[in-house]
PDB file of all heavy atoms in Angstrom:
ATOM      1  N   TYR A  72      15.303  23.657  -6.054  1.00 53.00           N
ATOM      2  CA  TYR A  72      13.859  23.576  -6.039  1.00 53.00           C
ATOM      3  C   TYR A  72      13.354  24.159  -4.730  1.00 53.00           C
ATOM      4  O   TYR A  72      13.969  23.949  -3.693  1.00 53.00           O
ATOM      5  CB  TYR A  72      13.389  22.138  -6.072  1.00 53.00           C
ATOM      6  CG  TYR A  72      13.351  21.523  -7.455  1.00 53.00           C
ATOM      7  CD1 TYR A  72      14.483  21.448  -8.209  1.00 53.00           C
ATOM      8  CD2 TYR A  72      12.144  21.060  -7.958  1.00 53.00           C
ATOM      9  CE1 TYR A  72      14.454  20.893  -9.474  1.00 53.00           C
ATOM     10  CE2 TYR A  72      12.105  20.512  -9.217  1.00 53.00           C
ATOM     11  CZ  TYR A  72      13.275  20.420  -9.974  1.00 53.00           C
ATOM     12  OH  TYR A  72      13.211  19.889 -11.221  1.00 53.00           O
ATOM     13  N   GLU A 101      24.348  12.060  -6.349  1.00 96.00           N
ATOM     14  CA  GLU A 101      23.096  12.808  -6.489  1.00 96.00           C
ATOM     15  C   GLU A 101      21.911  11.845  -6.401  1.00 96.00           C
ATOM     16  O   GLU A 101      22.061  10.646  -6.804  1.00 96.00           O
ATOM     17  CB  GLU A 101      23.134  13.552  -7.842  1.00 96.00           C
ATOM     18  CG  GLU A 101      21.927  14.335  -8.236  1.00 96.00           C
ATOM     19  CD  GLU A 101      21.632  15.541  -7.361  1.00 96.00           C
ATOM     20  OE1 GLU A 101      21.435  15.326  -6.140  1.00 96.00           O
ATOM     21  OE2 GLU A 101      21.492  16.641  -7.891  1.00 96.00           O
ATOM     22  N   ASP A 102      20.798  12.282  -5.902  1.00 96.00           N
ATOM     23  CA  ASP A 102      19.623  11.417  -5.857  1.00 96.00           C
ATOM     24  C   ASP A 102      18.984  11.245  -7.224  1.00 96.00           C
ATOM     25  O   ASP A 102      18.629  10.137  -7.615  1.00 96.00           O
ATOM     26  CB  ASP A 102      18.596  11.963  -4.848  1.00 96.00           C
ATOM     27  CG  ASP A 102      18.264  13.461  -5.053  1.00 96.00           C
ATOM     28  OD1 ASP A 102      18.914  14.112  -5.931  1.00 96.00           O
ATOM     29  OD2 ASP A 102      17.367  13.979  -4.397  1.00 96.00           O
ATOM     30  N   ILE A 103      18.883  12.373  -7.920  1.00 96.00           N
ATOM     31  CA  ILE A 103      18.189  12.350  -9.246  1.00 96.00           C
ATOM     32  C   ILE A 103      18.759  13.412 -10.160  1.00 96.00           C
ATOM     33  O   ILE A 103      19.040  14.519  -9.688  1.00 96.00           O
ATOM     34  CB  ILE A 103      16.661  12.501  -9.050  1.00 96.00           C
ATOM     35  CG1 ILE A 103      15.909  12.351 -10.364  1.00 96.00           C
ATOM     36  CG2 ILE A 103      16.282  13.806  -8.388  1.00 96.00           C
ATOM     37  CD1 ILE A 103      14.396  12.112 -10.175  1.00 96.00           C
ATOM     38  N   ILE A 104      18.929  13.099 -11.405  1.00 94.00           N
ATOM     39  CA  ILE A 104      19.289  14.116 -12.392  1.00 94.00           C
ATOM     40  C   ILE A 104      18.117  14.259 -13.369  1.00 94.00           C
ATOM     41  O   ILE A 104      17.693  13.276 -13.969  1.00 94.00           O
ATOM     42  CB  ILE A 104      20.611  13.799 -13.095  1.00 94.00           C
ATOM     43  CG1 ILE A 104      21.746  13.702 -12.073  1.00 94.00           C
ATOM     44  CG2 ILE A 104      20.939  14.859 -14.132  1.00 94.00           C
ATOM     45  CD1 ILE A 104      23.114  13.433 -12.645  1.00 94.00           C
ATOM     46  N   ASP A 105      17.636  15.467 -13.402  1.00 93.00           N
ATOM     47  CA  ASP A 105      16.396  15.772 -14.116  1.00 93.00           C
ATOM     48  C   ASP A 105      16.758  16.641 -15.334  1.00 93.00           C
ATOM     49  O   ASP A 105      17.201  16.126 -16.350  1.00 93.00           O
ATOM     50  CB  ASP A 105      15.506  16.481 -13.093  1.00 93.00           C
ATOM     51  CG  ASP A 105      14.107  16.812 -13.606  1.00 93.00           C
ATOM     52  OD1 ASP A 105      13.619  16.107 -14.478  1.00 93.00           O
ATOM     53  OD2 ASP A 105      13.521  17.762 -13.111  1.00 93.00           O
ATOM     54  N   THR A 106      16.630  17.951 -15.226  1.00 91.00           N
ATOM     55  CA  THR A 106      17.006  18.792 -16.358  1.00 91.00           C
ATOM     56  C   THR A 106      18.543  18.841 -16.523  1.00 91.00           C
ATOM     57  O   THR A 106      19.024  19.116 -17.607  1.00 91.00           O
ATOM     58  CB  THR A 106      16.508  20.245 -16.144  1.00 91.00           C
ATOM     59  OG1 THR A 106      17.179  20.788 -15.011  1.00 91.00           O
ATOM     60  CG2 THR A 106      15.037  20.312 -15.979  1.00 91.00           C
ATOM     61  N   GLY A 107      19.248  18.609 -15.439  1.00 91.00           N
ATOM     62  CA  GLY A 107      20.725  18.709 -15.474  1.00 91.00           C
ATOM     63  C   GLY A 107      21.238  20.060 -15.111  1.00 91.00           C
ATOM     64  O   GLY A 107      22.434  20.287 -14.999  1.00 91.00           O
ATOM     65  N   ASN A 108      20.337  21.034 -14.948  1.00 88.00           N
ATOM     66  CA  ASN A 108      20.756  22.427 -14.676  1.00 88.00           C
ATOM     67  C   ASN A 108      21.567  22.526 -13.376  1.00 88.00           C
ATOM     68  O   ASN A 108      22.639  23.127 -13.366  1.00 88.00           O
ATOM     69  CB  ASN A 108      19.540  23.339 -14.582  1.00 88.00           C
ATOM     70  CG  ASN A 108      18.974  23.625 -15.968  1.00 88.00           C
ATOM     71  OD1 ASN A 108      19.711  23.859 -16.896  1.00 88.00           O
ATOM     72  ND2 ASN A 108      17.644  23.616 -16.076  1.00 88.00           N
ATOM     73  N   THR A 109      21.020  21.976 -12.317  1.00 85.00           N
ATOM     74  CA  THR A 109      21.700  22.084 -11.000  1.00 85.00           C
ATOM     75  C   THR A 109      23.065  21.405 -11.057  1.00 85.00           C
ATOM     76  O   THR A 109      24.076  21.979 -10.730  1.00 85.00           O
ATOM     77  CB  THR A 109      20.867  21.334  -9.926  1.00 85.00           C
ATOM     78  OG1 THR A 109      19.504  21.638 -10.103  1.00 85.00           O
ATOM     79  CG2 THR A 109      21.330  21.662  -8.522  1.00 85.00           C
ATOM     80  N   LYS A 133      16.417  11.011 -15.195  1.00 96.00           N
ATOM     81  CA  LYS A 133      15.237  11.304 -16.056  1.00 96.00           C
ATOM     82  C   LYS A 133      15.738  11.846 -17.375  1.00 96.00           C
ATOM     83  O   LYS A 133      15.727  13.059 -17.580  1.00 96.00           O
ATOM     84  CB  LYS A 133      14.326  12.353 -15.388  1.00 96.00           C
ATOM     85  CG  LYS A 133      13.390  11.876 -14.359  1.00 96.00           C
ATOM     86  CD  LYS A 133      12.402  13.004 -14.107  1.00 96.00           C
ATOM     87  CE  LYS A 133      11.906  13.014 -12.678  1.00 96.00           C
ATOM     88  NZ  LYS A 133      11.196  14.246 -12.323  1.00 96.00           N
ATOM     89  N   GLU A 153       8.177  11.483 -14.325  1.00 94.00           N
ATOM     90  CA  GLU A 153       7.219  11.558 -13.221  1.00 94.00           C
ATOM     91  C   GLU A 153       7.895  12.220 -12.053  1.00 94.00           C
ATOM     92  O   GLU A 153       9.116  12.075 -11.926  1.00 94.00           O
ATOM     93  CB  GLU A 153       6.813  10.132 -12.760  1.00 94.00           C
ATOM     94  CG  GLU A 153       6.261   9.262 -13.821  1.00 94.00           C
ATOM     95  CD  GLU A 153       4.770   9.384 -13.994  1.00 94.00           C
ATOM     96  OE1 GLU A 153       4.153  10.315 -13.383  1.00 94.00           O
ATOM     97  OE2 GLU A 153       4.177   8.545 -14.732  1.00 94.00           O
ATOM     98  N   PHE A 154       7.145  12.879 -11.223  1.00 95.00           N
ATOM     99  CA  PHE A 154       7.774  13.461  -9.999  1.00 95.00           C
ATOM    100  C   PHE A 154       7.738  12.404  -8.887  1.00 95.00           C
ATOM    101  O   PHE A 154       6.711  11.893  -8.526  1.00 95.00           O
ATOM    102  CB  PHE A 154       7.019  14.730  -9.540  1.00 95.00           C
ATOM    103  CG  PHE A 154       7.801  15.482  -8.531  1.00 95.00           C
ATOM    104  CD1 PHE A 154       8.784  16.359  -8.908  1.00 95.00           C
ATOM    105  CD2 PHE A 154       7.552  15.290  -7.187  1.00 95.00           C
ATOM    106  CE1 PHE A 154       9.555  17.046  -7.985  1.00 95.00           C
ATOM    107  CE2 PHE A 154       8.301  15.983  -6.203  1.00 95.00           C
ATOM    108  CZ  PHE A 154       9.309  16.883  -6.610  1.00 95.00           C
ATOM    109  N   VAL A 155       8.929  12.046  -8.452  1.00 97.00           N
ATOM    110  CA  VAL A 155       9.052  10.914  -7.520  1.00 97.00           C
ATOM    111  C   VAL A 155       9.477  11.371  -6.129  1.00 97.00           C
ATOM    112  O   VAL A 155      10.164  12.394  -5.974  1.00 97.00           O
ATOM    113  CB  VAL A 155      10.004   9.831  -8.071  1.00 97.00           C
ATOM    114  CG1 VAL A 155       9.458   9.142  -9.302  1.00 97.00           C
ATOM    115  CG2 VAL A 155      11.401  10.405  -8.309  1.00 97.00           C
ATOM    116  N   LEU A 160      14.132  11.525  -1.377  1.00 97.00           N
ATOM    117  CA  LEU A 160      13.536  12.576  -2.199  1.00 97.00           C
ATOM    118  C   LEU A 160      12.235  13.063  -1.598  1.00 97.00           C
ATOM    119  O   LEU A 160      11.454  12.278  -1.086  1.00 97.00           O
ATOM    120  CB  LEU A 160      13.250  12.019  -3.627  1.00 97.00           C
ATOM    121  CG  LEU A 160      14.483  11.749  -4.428  1.00 97.00           C
ATOM    122  CD1 LEU A 160      14.671  10.278  -4.687  1.00 97.00           C
ATOM    123  CD2 LEU A 160      14.421  12.515  -5.798  1.00 97.00           C
ATOM    124  N   ASP A 161      12.042  14.386  -1.709  1.00 95.00           N
ATOM    125  CA  ASP A 161      10.903  15.000  -0.984  1.00 95.00           C
ATOM    126  C   ASP A 161       9.921  15.646  -1.938  1.00 95.00           C
ATOM    127  O   ASP A 161      10.180  15.943  -3.068  1.00 95.00           O
ATOM    128  CB  ASP A 161      11.424  16.098  -0.069  1.00 95.00           C
ATOM    129  CG  ASP A 161      11.842  17.349  -0.837  1.00 95.00           C
ATOM    130  OD1 ASP A 161      12.634  17.220  -1.804  1.00 95.00           O
ATOM    131  OD2 ASP A 161      11.365  18.454  -0.497  1.00 95.00           O
TER     132      ASP A 161
HETATM  133  P1  LIG B   1      17.872  19.305 -12.206  1.00 70.79           P
HETATM  134  O1  LIG B   1      18.716  20.498 -12.013  1.00 70.79           O
HETATM  135  O2  LIG B   1      18.577  18.110 -12.768  1.00 70.79           O
HETATM  136  O3  LIG B   1      16.624  19.628 -12.965  1.00 70.79           O
HETATM  137  O4  LIG B   1      17.289  18.970 -10.789  1.00 70.79           O
HETATM  138  C1  LIG B   1      17.929  18.225  -9.848  1.00 70.79           C
HETATM  139  C2  LIG B   1      17.253  18.344  -8.517  1.00 70.79           C
HETATM  140  O5  LIG B   1      15.846  18.563  -8.676  1.00 70.79           O
HETATM  141  C3  LIG B   1      17.363  17.081  -7.718  1.00 70.79           C
HETATM  142  O6  LIG B   1      18.500  17.069  -6.918  1.00 70.79           O
HETATM  143  C4  LIG B   1      16.103  17.080  -6.908  1.00 70.79           C
HETATM  144  O7  LIG B   1      16.313  17.845  -5.740  1.00 70.79           O
HETATM  145  C5  LIG B   1      15.088  17.834  -7.744  1.00 70.79           C
HETATM  146  N1  LIG B   1      14.232  16.921  -8.487  1.00 70.79           N
HETATM  147  C6  LIG B   1      14.232  16.696  -9.845  1.00 70.79           C
HETATM  148  N2  LIG B   1      13.288  15.768 -10.159  1.00 70.79           N
HETATM  149  C7  LIG B   1      12.715  15.411  -9.002  1.00 70.79           C
HETATM  150  C8  LIG B   1      11.668  14.432  -8.695  1.00 70.79           C
HETATM  151  O8  LIG B   1      11.109  13.704  -9.514  1.00 70.79           O
HETATM  152  N3  LIG B   1      11.364  14.344  -7.352  1.00 70.79           N
HETATM  153  C9  LIG B   1      11.947  15.061  -6.414  1.00 70.79           C
HETATM  154  N4  LIG B   1      11.564  14.858  -5.150  1.00 70.79           N
HETATM  155  N5  LIG B   1      12.938  15.957  -6.659  1.00 70.79           N
HETATM  156  C10 LIG B   1      13.294  16.116  -7.967  1.00 70.79           C
END
Side-chain angles (χ1 to χ4, degrees):
Y72 278 61
E101 178 66 302
D102 50 355
I103 184 163
I104 300 182
D105 183 28
T106 64
N108 284 319
T109 317
K133 276 193 213 168
E153 303 272 10
F154 193 82
V155 293
L160 289 112
D161 75 309

